[in-house]
Amino acid sequence: MRILGIESSCDETAASVVEDGRRILSNVIASQADEHKKYGGVVPELASRRHCENILWVVKQALSDANLTMDEIDGIAVTYAPGLIGALLVGVSFAKGLAMMSGKPLIPVHHTEGHAAANYLLPESAELPALEPPYLGVIVSGGHTRIAEVLDYTTFRTVGKTRDDAAGECFDKCARAMGFPYPGGIHVDQAAQRGDASAFRLPKTKMDGNPYDFSFSGLKTYIVNLLHHTEQLGQEINRDDLSAALQQAIAQDVTLKTMDAAEELGYKTIALSGGVSANSGVRNMLASACAQRGFRLYMPPLALCGDNAAMIAAQGYYNYQAGITADETLNAVASKELRGESA
Ligand code: KG4
Ligand code: ZN
């Protein structure tokens, strides 16, 4: 079964065709990052306009790269939540029109569930058989930070999530304060590789309640204040060292909570995903913690960590199998919990 996936929740207009939820036939991504860079972050209005301009050629390109026509597509999966509302609306409206015109089923996909599905697209190997639920999903991106039990392909149970900023947001805001261009996560990653994490002692978050919840705003505020203070004193800060310390702090937090949750809930299979899963510190620390405990770890290749439509098509396939489809009343939703969970 071939699903056409469409993604437009933030600043990437993307379309992809995926076969049986596992095999990528095409994967087209039109990123607007260079344009938003000028403003230091995503400008929602601008993002919507660019999606409008890009969506048609991106979808056409995905079909032509897959060497398929709409007749040979079995369903249209689209990200409908969560994200920038004006941006989501472009993908949702386009997908609805396409479904109406082609008579193909319309399949709504939650963006965070889509990120988790990126790991279904990994090639099977002797060491790493195809990922199947149940497993513990760790989804870290610019807008989301969550540990969730993936009980079956369409049933999720959140174990912990951020109470304020997402991990990617913390990377990006600190990066901006350090003078790196948007999106700053990757620049922090590169600088961190030259730096010494022990040069700074960053605060650890202490939280009441759910031990698996995250909070990154304290870390962000500490770093931003530190940079301002140093600037006021006319001193220079070593960006490489500060990046290394920041990356280590985030990687440690994600790794420790994931390991504790896996041990408590009895999971031996972990799947990391989302834009921040491209971070070398997070990948390495989680990989060595999993290796020590004999856990199996899945991580998408770098090209499938950030926003893409292949992950939406993959999750769309499983949604369709579970009977999750939509009609012309489908609307975009800016904020939405995972399937089966109340807001
Ligand atoms: O998944 P994604 O493309 O969009 C959302 O759903 O939010 O994630 C984007 C986030 C940005 O915050 C970006 O800076 C971060 O992922 N990111 C990284 C790295 N590559 C992307 N953060 C840290 N290290 C990286 N190598
Ligand atoms: Zn995303």
Side-chain angles (χ1 to χ4, degrees), residues 321-338:
Q321 300 293 315
I324 300 161
T325 56
D327 61 16
E328 68 280 2
T329 60
L330 179 67
N331 208 343
V333 185
S335 137
K336 180 134 187 82
E337 288 302 301
L338 299 180

Side-chain angles (χ1 to χ4, degrees), residues 176-239:
R176 187 165 150 172
M178 282 191 260
F180 291 119
Y182 167 84
I186 186 159
H187 300 287
V188 173
D189 194 343
Q190 287 160 356
Q193 297 181 27
R194 300 183 295 263
D196 169 15
S198 66
F200 290 94
R201 277 195 58 186
L202 300 180
K204 290 219 180 336
T205 329
K206 286 200 194 73
M207 284 198 304
D208 296 332
N210 185 351
Y212 303 120
D213 273 351
F214 294 92
S215 167
F216 293 108
S217 74
L219 181 61
K220 175 194 73 183
T221 310
Y222 179 87
I223 289 187
V224 171
N225 286 344
L226 177 71
L227 286 158
H228 286 165
H229 189 62
T230 322
E231 197 186 345
Q232 275 165 2
L233 295 175
Q235 294 168 351
E236 286 255 329
I237 220 159
N238 184 318
R239 289 202 303 185

